Amino acid sequence: QLQLVESGGGLVQPGGSLRLSCAASGLSLDMYTVGWFRQAPGKEREFVAAINWSGGSTYYGDSVKGRFTISRDNAKNTVYLQMNSLKPEDTAVYYCAESRSSTYSTGTRFGSWGQGTQVTVSS
C-alpha cells in the first residue's frame, strides 16, 4: 500500500515562491514515476509536472514551464515541486500521484493520490 501526503501549501503574494513536498509511506518511490496535478474550483484537473524513476527526465505543463521545477530525493522517499513567480491563476489544490510507468507521456495512468495541499496566490 503506497500512501502519499502533500504539504507545503499556503497563502503567498503574486510573484512569490513555495516548495511543495510529496512524502510517500508504505512503499518506496524509487520505482515510480511521480506527477503533480492541480485543480481549482469549477475547473478541470490540470497536469503540472512529472519526474521519472531516476529523476533524469522531467516534463512540465505549458502554463508552468520556466517557473516550476520538479525534483526527487529517493533516499527521503519524497518528491518536490518548487514554484516561483507565482500568479493568481496558480491558485488551486495541488495533488501528487504515482505511476508504475518508467517515464511520463500523455497516456500515462496514475494510481495512488494524496489528499492535496491548498495553494492560494493573492495580494
Side-chain angles (χ1 to χ4, degrees):
Q1 294 181 331
L2 177 64
Q3 294 184 326
L4 303 174
V5 178
E6 302 92 337
S7 63
L11 174 64
V12 298
Q13 295 183 350
S17 298
L18 284 174
R19 189 179 77 160
L20 306 183
S21 297
C22 173
S25 62
L27 294 173
S28 175
L29 276 179
D30 61 358
M31 295 297 291
Y32 294 88
T33 290
V34 176
W36 283 97
F37 299 81
R38 66 187 183 186
Q39 188 165 24
K43 296 184 178 180
E44 297 290 329
R45 185 183 67 190
E46 179 185 13
F47 172 76
V48 176
I51 188 166
N52 75 337
W53 290 357
S54 67
S57 297
T58 58
Y59 184 88
Y60 298 94
D62 290 341
S63 63
V64 305
K65 287 181 179 178
R67 300 189 297 121
F68 291 9
T69 302
I70 188 170
S71 62
R72 68 191 303 162
D73 186 344
N74 287 340
K76 296 182 178 180
N77 223 20
T78 301
V79 172
Y80 304 97
L81 183 69
Q82 179 67 46
M83 307 186 296
N84 299 326
S85 302
L86 284 163
K87 305 174 181 179
E89 51 262 44
D90 295 318
T91 296
V93 177
Y94 284 70
Y95 301 89
C96 63
E98 57 81 19
S99 173
R100 293 177 178 84
S101 298
S102 60
T103 61
Y104 175 81
S105 70
T106 56
T108 298
R109 300 290 294 176
F110 289 85
S112 298
W113 293 74
Q115 86 289 350
T117 185
Q118 176 71 49
V119 173
T120 302
V121 185
S122 176
S123 60

